Amino acid sequence: MRGIFSDFSKAFDTINHQILVDKLPFYNFSSDACVLIQSYLSNRKQFVKVNDHSGALREVKIRVPQGSVLGPILFLIYINDLINSAPMFNYILFADDTNIFSKDPQLLKENLKHIEEWCLANKLVLNYTKTF
């Protein structure tokens, strides 16, 4: 058995709200639950302050709140369909660490592009310095 132990770069900071909300119905979330999660994610604002200088208040349209109970759950929902990109592999999904296994190392090497394409479509980046 061969494995790839991957890490997504700034995983919780790169979750696209619209992509996440669009995935919810595929997991049988009711329309009310989708609206609730959309509400939880929307209208969040932030600004940067350095010394006495403050930037403009801007709406946050990506990222899930870190330190929250829902953050890791929403991230796992977001990446749950990764397994469909290359179903010939075995997966262990745990927050921003994803482990991919195959009995055939050549199959793993030849089909890794499907994982990379999924990452591109979902606006996630593999951290190659922590992926081995």
Side-chain angles (χ1 to χ4, degrees):
M1 182 73 68
R2 299 290 169 105
I4 296 174
F5 302 92
S6 63
D7 181 83
F8 292 108
S9 293
K10 301 183 182 195
F12 288 76
D13 293 336
T14 57
I15 299 300
N16 181 290
H17 293 175
Q18 193 57 55
I19 292 173
L20 174 60
V21 171
D22 289 346
K23 290 181 180 202
L24 296 175
F26 292 102
Y27 300 111
N28 294 319
F29 279 73
S30 69
S31 58
D32 288 341
C34 292
V35 168
L36 182 64
I37 291 172
Q38 175 72 45
S39 174
Y40 174 73
L41 295 171
S42 63
N43 295 319
R44 291 184 176 271
K45 299 190 182 349
Q46 69 181 24
F47 71 95
V48 175
K49 182 177 181 180
V50 177
N51 297 325
D52 293 332
H53 302 284
S54 296
L57 192 63
R58 298 204 175 160
E59 186 175 359
V60 177
K61 295 184 180 181
I62 59 171
R63 83 178 1 184
V64 291
Q66 291 187 37
S68 68
V69 172
L70 283 180
I73 295 167
L74 293 174
F75 183 79
L76 284 172
I77 291 169
Y78 194 83
I79 67 166
N80 195 56
D81 62 335
L82 170 64
I83 63 174
N84 297 329
S85 68
M88 69 287 290
F89 301 143
N90 295 312
Y91 296 84
I92 297 174
L93 306 176
F94 182 75
D96 61 341
D97 297 313
T98 297
N99 303 325
I100 305 163
F101 299 98
S102 175
K103 291 181 180 179
D104 182 348
Q106 188 61 32
L107 183 70
L108 196 59
K109 183 177 179 181
E110 291 171 356
N111 288 284
L112 193 56
K113 66 181 179 284
H114 298 300
I115 304 293
E116 292 171 333
E117 290 167 357
W118 180 92
C119 289
L120 184 62
N122 287 277
K123 301 182 182 197
L124 289 175
V125 176
L126 285 174
N127 182 346
Y128 288 104
T129 61
K130 293 184 178 179
T131 297
F132 53 93

